[in-house]
């Protein structure tokens, strides 16, 4: 896994300057600090194009939730979940770097999804030249809207397939394909290379750093706002694969004044547990919850966090990850624990409490939360209540449109979601009228054959 070995710094002066710029310029600036194979002008062009496909509210609006809590909405893109923030820009970066390096093979993007990544990858890569994109999703582990979004996907270079198993099974299956040397040699000979659009791809993480920078700029620049330039801002992030919150950590390491980084888990609370006990224990059943994009026990970006927080101790990380594979559990040494404690806190919330938060937030503020965001709002609230919090303003990251999870939201409200009058995002409207193109559901041991058939147009 690639990790930056040092973090470029952003000064408060630069932040003030960026606060006068549109979102795409902010992203291009952050990317330019890492990706020197592109000119700043190229990056601005790619970003301008990518972030023009978001709705009128813009890619990353910040709105007030209460007088102490603001919310960063990351679901105004073409698939109504935060994965668009990276997956709209990643295809341009990828195809441009293939061109620059003179790569002649075509790329197959192969992705396992807990629901939102798959759709965002399909939409980002659809009909891109020299690319195909194939997605595996757990057939019984996604919401109805999520499934329909994928099975009705348009484009001549896309494929979608359900698997009988959960997200971890889908992810392991995809990893096995990536690690199968014979298969990769064969694909290579046929002119294909495999690539992942999963959140371990560094091209996913870097664009995510940008929205923390952007939110900070917007909040600090607000006249009479609650955040002063240079003062710390806490963030709470609904977490699954640890990509989103790791991006917050990267932003903090780049000098963005962030305080507590609070990792919000649902009942699959391995991460929250690790952050409070130092023990990472995956030896439990994966539970299906109303926040399926966080139904994950083996969090793939967490390995990066271990690397950075251990001060780059690759041997330690290898040892811990080895234990996780062989024993299903590891215990962090004290030094590593205190390194995490200096930045991170964890908390978890079950479906029932998330449901209560959805109902109360609607009744009180007339703001409709999706279940993932509700988990974060609950955990942020518990954090501020437990020790009075840090006193810093709090930013909660909102990761999906409530309309993407209309069953759970409706159940929380005790009424159909349409009764709220909250408009349905354009990309989700009329889903059930669209023709289903991909019906297939397979066993895990058929995944490899499925990919080969797809690449050979069978
Ligand atoms: C992917 C996703 C998450 C989890 O994000 P990670 O980067 O995997 O931690 C949370 N909420 C929603 C709606 C998502 O799609």
């Amino acid at each position: 896994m690639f990790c930056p070995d040092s973090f470029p710094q952003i000064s408060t002066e630069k932040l003030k300057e960026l606060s006068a710029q549109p979102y795409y310029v902010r992203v291009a600036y952050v990317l330019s600090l890492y990706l020197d194979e592109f000119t700043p002008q190229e990056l601005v062009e790619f970003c301008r194009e990518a972030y023009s496909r978001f709705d009128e509210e813009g890619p990353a609006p910040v709105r007030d939730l209460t007088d102490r809590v603001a919310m960063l909405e990351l679901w105004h893109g073409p698939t109504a979940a935060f994965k668009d923030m990276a997956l709209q820009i990643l295809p341009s970066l990828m195809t441009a770097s293939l061109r620059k390096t003179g790569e002649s093979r075509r790329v197959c993007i192969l992705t396992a999804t807990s629901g939102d990544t798959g759709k965002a990858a399909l939409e980002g890569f659809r009909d891109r030249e020299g690319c195909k994109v194939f997605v595996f999703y757990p057939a019984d582990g996604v919401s109805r809207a999520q499934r329909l979004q994928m099975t009705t996907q348009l484009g001549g270079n896309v494929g979608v397939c359900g698997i009988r198993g959960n997200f971890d099974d889908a992810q392991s299956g995809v990893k096995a394909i990536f690690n199968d040397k014979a298969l990769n040699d064969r694909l290579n000979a046929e002119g294909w290379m495999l690539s992942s659009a999963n959140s371990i791809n560094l091209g996913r993480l870097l664009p995510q750093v940008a929205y923390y920078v952007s939110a900070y700029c917007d909040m600090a620049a607000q006249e009479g706002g609650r955040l002063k330039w240079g003062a710390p801002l806490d963030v709470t992030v609904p977490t699954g694969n640890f990509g989103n919150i790791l991006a917050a950590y990267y932003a903090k390491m780049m000098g963005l004044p962030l305080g507590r980084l609070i990792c919000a888990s649902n009942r699959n609370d391995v991460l929250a547990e690790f952050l409070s006990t130092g023990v990472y224990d995956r030896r439990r059943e994966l539970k299906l919850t109303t926040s399926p994009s966080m139904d994950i026990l083996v969090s793939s970006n967490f390995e990066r966090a271990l690397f950075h927080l251990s001060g780059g101790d690759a041997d330690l990380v290898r040892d811990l990850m080895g234990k996780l594979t062989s024993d299903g559990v590891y215990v962090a040494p004290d030094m590593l624990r205190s390194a995490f404690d200096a930045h991170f806190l964890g908390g978890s919330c079950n479906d029932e409490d998330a449901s209560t938060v959805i109902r109360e937030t609607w009744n009180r503020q007339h703001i409709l939360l999706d279940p993932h965001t509700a988990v974060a709002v609950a955990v942020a609230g518990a954090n501020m209540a437990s020790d009075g919090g840090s006193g810093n303003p709090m930013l909660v990251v909102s990761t999906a449109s409530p309309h993407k999870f209309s069953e759970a939201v409706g159940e929380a409200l005790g009424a159909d979601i349409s009764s709220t009058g909250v408009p349905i995002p354009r990309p989700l409207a009329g889903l059930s009228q669209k023709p289903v193109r991909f019906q297939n559901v397979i066993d895990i041991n058929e995944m490899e054959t499925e990919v080969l058939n797809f690449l050979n147009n069978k």
Side-chain angles (χ1 to χ4, degrees), residues 81-83 116-117 199 208 238-244 293-294 296 370 372 399-400 405:
F82 97 95
K83 305 298 194 288
D116 291 331
T117 299
S199 63
Q208 295 183 186
T239 295
N241 259 327
F242 213 77
N244 199 347
S293 299
M294 294 151 68
I296 291 169
D370 95 283
H372 304 75
T399 48
F405 302 94

Side-chain angles (χ1 to χ4, degrees), residues 185-208:
D185 287 347
R186 175 171 163 194
L187 290 176
N188 204 353
E190 292 169 6
W192 285 104
M193 66 190 273
L194 293 179
S195 181
S196 123
N198 275 93
S199 63
I200 51 171
N201 188 315
L202 200 57
R204 285 276 302 277
L205 268 178
L206 298 179
Q208 295 183 186

Side-chain angles (χ1 to χ4, degrees), residues 3-17:
C3 291
D5 50 22
S6 66
F7 290 99
Q9 298 297 302
I10 305 189
S11 64
T12 306
E13 281 319 300
K14 186 68 199 182
L15 291 173
K16 286 183 182 168
E17 193 187 311

Side-chain angles (χ1 to χ4, degrees), residues 75 80-84 113-117 146 167 199 204-205 208 211 237-247 263-264 271 291-296 299-301 370-373 397-401 404-405:
W75 42 266
F82 97 95
K83 305 298 194 288
D84 287 330
T113 185
S114 56
D116 291 331
T117 299
Q146 285 179 312
F167 170 69
S199 63
R204 285 276 302 277
L205 268 178
Q208 295 183 186
Y211 51 71
V237 186
T239 295
N241 259 327
F242 213 77
N244 199 347
I245 194 168
L246 187 68
C263 166
L271 290 168
S291 41
S293 299
M294 294 151 68
D295 290 346
I296 291 169
S299 219
S300 49
N301 268 299
D370 95 283
H372 304 75
T373 308
V397 180
S398 173
T399 48
S401 158
K404 214 163 169 174
F405 302 94

